[in-house]
Amino acid sequence: MKLAKRMLELEESATLAVSARAARMQADGIHVISFGAGEPDFPTPTHVAEAGIHAIRSGKTKYSKPASGVPAAKQAVCTKFARNNGLSYKPEQVIVTAGGKMAVFLAVHAVVDPGDEVVIPVPFWVSYPEIVKLAGGVPVYVAGSPSRDYKLSPRDLASVLTPRTRMVVFNSPSNPSGVTYSPEETHELARVVEERDLVVLSDEIYDQLTFGGQKTLSFAACGKAAYEQTITLNAGSKTFSMTGWRIGYAAGPKPIIEAMQKLDSQATSGAATFTQAALVAALTADQDCVETMRAEFEKRARHMWQRLSAMPGVTCPKPTGAFYCFPDVSGTFARLGVSGSTAFSSLLLEKARVAVVPGIAFGLDRHVRLSFACDLASINEGLDRMTGFLGG
Ligand code: PLP
């Protein structure tokens, strides 16, 4: 069967692939501890789920009108951005999408022409490079120094900008590293790009999940120039444990949002209407449920980070947001007789029945990603197995 050339270049999502392999082993009766998940282990909060159910029962089961999001959902998104991010957007600057991933897809395709360069900080969420390549864009990778937990300095960012740079991706807190830029660090990067004719895609999907009093600043809140060149992206997925509802949103300059809306009208016809009703409940009701989940993630983050840091040959950036640890395990490679993160992860799965995601999928082959979106008992069991595997 002849497939389109673009399919030859496209990688399957590595994170979904690991979850699938661990699930197959589980189905065969093997007890695997999976640290592969990219989704919260909590149920969707009851009031959010009820809003979706009520919407279905009351007939909100037709096309979204308009496809770019029903008025109540766009208004709720504006309310969220004003409340949490100090960002003032009008409903016509908002698009509601079938998940955060679709918002990334639309933003890139609305802005990037074939041959345009897109700066992607390393380590990166697996889908950025693939989506950029699908649009014909050229990913340009840049990593900060390990001593800064790979966060870009202004000089790092400036060093990769060229006249062909059309977009810079910014993801803080980061998947996979759990590292978060401070407001000052974000400001410094904003100053580097403010004079340039480029768009910043600020993926803030983990903005409500930060730890240890870590402060954050939305890229678009760095000033007038930043506001005018940034697409701010978020979703119900991580904050409200709504991954299966498929609901995301973005806001930014009107011409870009309108282009995204046009594209989405030909792609998905918008997010499901009852899912949008659930998003309205999530974004506008009391935010206590978010704090409950965040506090639990914070406990797990500290625990997992401490235990990983105590393992021989392992060093780990301290997660200050999201729900991942991203340890450098290269100090164990010689002892284990492996040469990279894929072989490390395969051996760990085979010998210790612990699933992690190879760091190479995120651009750093010395690391692996462990999600702590699972209960403390499983975290401890998995880390006990890993300690035994590493001979600690
Ligand atoms: N952006 C980042 C950084 C993510 O980690 C993810 C999901 O893992 C997404 C976007 C996509 O989220 P969604 O499930 O809403 O499509």
Side-chain angles (χ1 to χ4, degrees), residues 38 99-101 125 128 171 175 203 205-206 235 237-238 246 324:
K101 190 178 273 185
W125 176 50
Y128 299 137
N171 172 220
N175 175 7
D203 182 343
I205 200 162
Y206 297 99
S237 307
K238 317 289 176 172
R246 309 310 303 132
Y324 310 103

Side-chain angles (χ1 to χ4, degrees), residues 301-322:
R302 198 179 322 121
H303 186 70
M304 185 182 261
W305 176 72
Q306 278 168 350
R307 288 205 58 185
L308 285 169
S309 300
M311 291 182 192
V314 177
T315 53
C316 189
K318 191 172 189 178
T320 47

Side-chain angles (χ1 to χ4, degrees), residues 5 7 10 34 55 60 107 120 123 152 166 171 214-215 290 340 344 351 372 387:
K5 283 197 197 73
M7 297 313 299
L10 191 68
S34 181
K60 287 193 179 143
I120 301 180
L152 296 190
R166 188 68 198 109
N171 172 220
Q214 172 72 45
K215 295 259 183 309
V290 178
F344 176 95
K351 300 275 187 225
F372 45 83
T387 304

Side-chain angles (χ1 to χ4, degrees), residues 15 38-39 97-104 124-128 171-176 203-206 233-238 242-244 246-249 322-324 369:
T15 41
E39 57 185 346
T97 55
K101 190 178 273 185
M102 194 62 195
V104 174
F124 47 76
W125 176 50
V126 292
S127 293
Y128 299 137
N171 172 220
S172 173
S174 151
N175 175 7
D203 182 343
E204 303 180 7
I205 200 162
Y206 297 99
L233 187 150
N234 213 310
S237 307
K238 317 289 176 172
M242 293 178 76
T243 45
R246 309 310 303 132
I247 189 82
Y249 51 91
F323 37 72
Y324 310 103
R369 192 193 74 175

Side-chain angles (χ1 to χ4, degrees), residues 36 111 130 148 154 190 212 365:
V111 167
E130 300 311 310
R148 287 172 54 94
D365 202 20

